[in-house]
Amino acid sequence: MKRLLAMLLTAVFILTSSTPILAACSTAASESDPEPVITRPVVSGQCITVPEVAKKASIDLTIDDTYRLQESLVDFREHLMTSTYKWISRDQKRLDLEVYKIAGEDLILTFTGVGDGTVQIDLGQSLTQVQPSVYQSRDLTVQVLSCISYNQGPYSTYNLAPEPAIKCTAAGSRLVVEGRTSGRTNSAVILVTGRSDAVYVQERLEEAMLGNYIFARDGILQKEPSNYVPYQPNNWYLTASSWSLNQVLDLLVDYRPVRDLSLYYAYKFAERYNEMGFIPTAPRSQWLYEDFNIGYEFYDTRMNTNTVRFLMKINNYYPDRRFQEPIHRYFDFYKDFASRYRILTKSGYLPCDYMDQQGQGRITHVSLNHAITEMSALYDYYLMCGDEEALHMARSIRGAVEDMHERFVNPDGDLWYGMTPDYTFVLQDYRYLTLNDLIEAQGIIRQVEGEENPALQYLIDAKQGWLERNPKKEAK
């Protein structure tokens, strides 16, 4: 890390070429003041003050200074330290910087500013672009995770500029993030690691994101469906699901960029659990509202299952009470939820897919992929802490699948998507999602119970047989 810090010589933050920058807790200098000398930042309470900045348009901070302040300043977590720096210009334009030190050796830098502005990061070595969002020098890899311009709306929605209004380029040893918008917020998230196989990681991430997710400063954004409210074109929302990161967790141990991303967003997700114990989906689904009277801030079992399993995986490698506490609170909530929102069978039950946060909604259907993944999560939780109630619940869901497994196969040989409260099987299943869930669940059952489950194998065989008979048509 010392070598990395030595290479990150200076971070330069500029709002405009003629805009003076003042510390958020400093006093503006008058026009008659002499040309200031930039001094080292000093700690003043919870604010970093850079004194005597009046006419100069930039502030120089060495990364070493940043870390010394960070060590004594703000938020120390087991595997991630963060410090927030805020500057405000004389015309009230503001720039926020957060510096994260990941696992003691890498950096994530996040910036937010309103209106026109530029952020320059001097890495001390000439940068070469190896992919549209990946740069490398002799010793460093820089990944621009996101570079967006948006207006934030209600219910955790972000309306992105329809045309690229912010860009990131390299100029010699400097990475330059430049925004040219009127009234919108410009934001960038940048990962700096040692030299790594960033091209392969980026390809895997893009495959996982499928253009539907953005690694943003506040969390992972997901493209908003047109039947969500509030809606406008190019709306994104803060998702409750870690699905995109779950797809690359096989790289967690061997690839530092994946480890860094996973830790950063694990803390972001951990902070978003509500008082009830789950992460809500804030916009309203018009379909769920009309069919089940489910409103804003609703509970989605699949999204939350993705995320709690993600946190358990991260906690397995990087234990931290900030992961463990929301994990335990979530399963306390889920146990109560599954006791009230479920469809009973002879040998168990299948928990419903959704719940209205205010308790006003009706019982919903059960999707096979939701139920299978929830069963796996309960087994995971049992393996994590020996919770016998979680094991009993996993076996109850498994029992219900055993009761209904033959009926989950439709006349065409494919799987039904789900089952309604009156035991009607409905809708076409995903092409691969449920199959992958079933295969993973079979492995967990083998680990815990000592043998594979015949009912799950029946469903796996049925789906694989259907896929062989119905190969995917190549796009022309």
Side-chain angles (χ1 to χ4, degrees):
M1 187 59 193
K2 290 182 178 178
R3 188 175 186 182
L4 175 58
L5 293 180
M7 297 309 307
L8 290 171
L9 297 178
T10 308
V12 182
F13 313 106
I14 306 173
L15 288 176
T16 65
S17 60
S18 60
T19 302
I21 301 177
L22 302 175
C25 50
S26 66
T27 304
S30 68
E31 291 295 335
S32 60
D33 288 343
E35 188 71 11
V37 176
I38 303 301
T39 61
R40 296 295 187 205
V42 296
V43 178
S44 175
Q46 290 297 304
C47 183
I48 297 174
T49 304
V50 182
E52 300 182 38
V53 179
K55 297 178 181 178
K56 193 173 177 66
S58 66
I59 295 176
D60 294 341
L61 270 180
T62 69
I63 296 298
D64 286 336
D65 289 332
T66 300
Y67 276 119
R68 279 200 294 273
L69 290 169
Q70 183 174 309
E71 294 276 358
S72 61
L73 240 188
V74 198
D75 188 6
F76 177 76
R77 311 178 192 197
E78 189 72 23
H79 306 288
L80 178 151
M81 290 191 300
T82 175
S83 190
T84 302
Y85 306 88
K86 301 177 186 293
W87 290 276
I88 192 164
S89 69
R90 190 177 299 173
D91 61 357
Q92 300 304 300
K93 289 183 179 178
R94 173 168 157 166
L95 176 69
D96 291 356
L97 159 69
E98 288 183 345
V99 181
Y100 294 86
K101 184 179 181 182
I102 310 291
E105 57 184 350
D106 295 339
L107 301 177
I108 285 184
L109 310 175
T110 71
F111 311 95
T112 299
V114 177
D116 292 357
T118 302
V119 175
Q120 298 185 45
I121 309 165
D122 193 339
L123 299 177
Q125 292 181 358
S126 182
L127 294 167
T128 300
Q129 188 173 29
V130 295
Q131 275 196 342
S133 58
V134 181
Y135 301 84
Q136 288 187 324
S137 67
R138 184 183 65 250
D139 301 311
L140 300 176
T141 295
V142 179
Q143 287 181 268
V144 182
L145 302 175
S146 65
C147 205
I148 58 176
S149 182
Y150 60 88
N151 286 328
Q152 190 158 1
Y155 297 103
S156 301
T157 56
Y158 297 71
N159 186 249
L160 271 59
E163 298 294 334
I166 183 169
K167 62 181 181 179
C168 182
T169 56
S173 64
R174 290 191 172 192
L175 193 70
V176 182
V177 182
E178 184 177 15
R180 290 289 177 263
T181 60
S182 177
R184 287 182 176 269
T185 298
N186 299 316
S187 183
V189 180
I190 298 170
L191 171 63
V192 182
T193 71
R195 184 85 179 198
S196 61
D197 190 358
V199 173
Y200 175 64
V201 171
Q202 188 68 19
E203 289 173 351
R204 285 289 306 274
L205 287 173
E206 290 175 358
E207 181 182 339
M209 306 288 269
L210 295 174
N212 293 319
Y213 300 91
I214 294 173
F215 289 128
R217 180 178 186 174
D218 299 333
I220 298 176
L221 302 184
Q222 184 170 350
K223 188 173 290 185
E224 186 178 37
S226 59
N227 67 342
Y228 273 29
V229 178
Y231 176 80
Q232 55 180 315
N234 218 25
N235 251 21
W236 297 66
Y237 71 100
L238 206 56
T239 182
S241 174
S242 64
W243 186 88
S244 53
L245 283 173
N246 291 36
Q247 307 311 301
V248 295
L249 283 183
D250 58 303
L251 308 181
L252 180 66
V253 175
D254 296 324
Y255 290 83
R256 279 165 55 178
V258 174
R259 177 205 61 189
D260 297 343
L261 274 178
S262 298
L263 280 168
Y264 177 78
Y265 286 107
Y267 284 111
K268 289 293 183 182
F269 278 118
E271 292 165 355
R272 290 180 53 209
Y273 281 83
N274 63 13
E275 292 182 359
M276 295 180 70
F278 66 91
I279 302 177
T281 297
R284 189 181 74 192
S285 163
Q286 202 62 10
W287 158 58
L288 292 177
Y289 180 69
E290 292 174 357
D291 285 10
F292 304 107
N293 196 36
I294 292 175
Y296 296 97
E297 307 279 350
F298 64 90
Y299 170 57
D300 181 322
T301 58
R302 180 65 201 240
M303 287 193 170
N304 275 266
T305 301
N306 289 342
T307 302
V308 78
R309 297 190 74 200
F310 169 71
L311 289 180
M312 284 191 284
K313 182 69 173 285
I314 299 302
N315 184 72
N316 185 44
Y317 286 97
Y318 302 98
D320 191 332
R321 63 174 180 80
R322 298 194 191 212
F323 304 147
Q324 296 155 12
E325 288 174 359
I327 289 169
H328 294 314
R329 287 200 301 114
Y330 175 75
F331 281 102
D332 287 343
F333 157 79
Y334 181 80
K335 292 171 184 178
D336 177 69
F337 162 81
S339 71
R340 296 185 293 121
Y341 294 85
R342 60 186 182 182
I343 301 174
L344 297 174
T345 70
K346 179 180 179 181
S347 305
Y349 57 82
L350 298 173
C352 296
D353 283 6
Y354 305 100
M355 182 194 76
D356 178 70
Q357 183 169 198
Q358 306 302 321
Q360 303 301 314
R362 295 183 289 275
I363 296 291
T364 74
H365 60 278
V366 171
S367 302
L368 183 58
N369 76 85
H370 283 231
I372 293 297
T373 310
E374 290 162 56
M375 177 185 69
S376 294
L378 288 163
Y379 274 124
D380 287 343
Y381 189 57
Y382 167 73
L383 291 171
M384 172 182 166
C385 60
D387 189 296
E388 293 290 340
E389 185 179 359
L391 177 61
H392 177 73
M393 292 176 68
R395 289 171 172 169
S396 294
I397 295 174
R398 191 192 71 204
V401 172
E402 291 168 351
D403 290 340
M404 313 302 288
H405 72 281
E406 292 184 354
R407 295 177 63 184
F408 262 112
V409 179
N410 67 27
D412 189 36
D414 195 7
L415 303 182
W416 289 109
Y417 172 77
M419 182 180 75
T420 65
D422 64 357
Y423 303 95
T424 300
F425 291 82
V426 295
L427 302 176
Q428 184 176 359
D429 185 41
Y430 293 107
R431 188 167 181 85
Y432 298 113
L433 176 69
T434 307
L435 173 62
N436 292 336
D437 294 337
L438 287 162
I439 293 172
E440 182 184 30
Q442 186 73 290
I444 296 172
I445 288 175
R446 188 188 310 114
Q447 178 184 1
V448 177
E449 307 289 1
E451 59 184 1
E452 293 186 348
N453 183 267
L456 263 67
Q457 195 59 48
Y458 179 90
L459 294 169
I460 291 169
D461 293 342
K463 185 68 178 188
Q464 289 178 332
W466 183 87
L467 287 171
E468 290 173 3
R469 295 190 302 273
N470 297 270
K472 190 174 184 180
K473 297 179 180 178
E474 297 294 332
K476 295 182 179 180

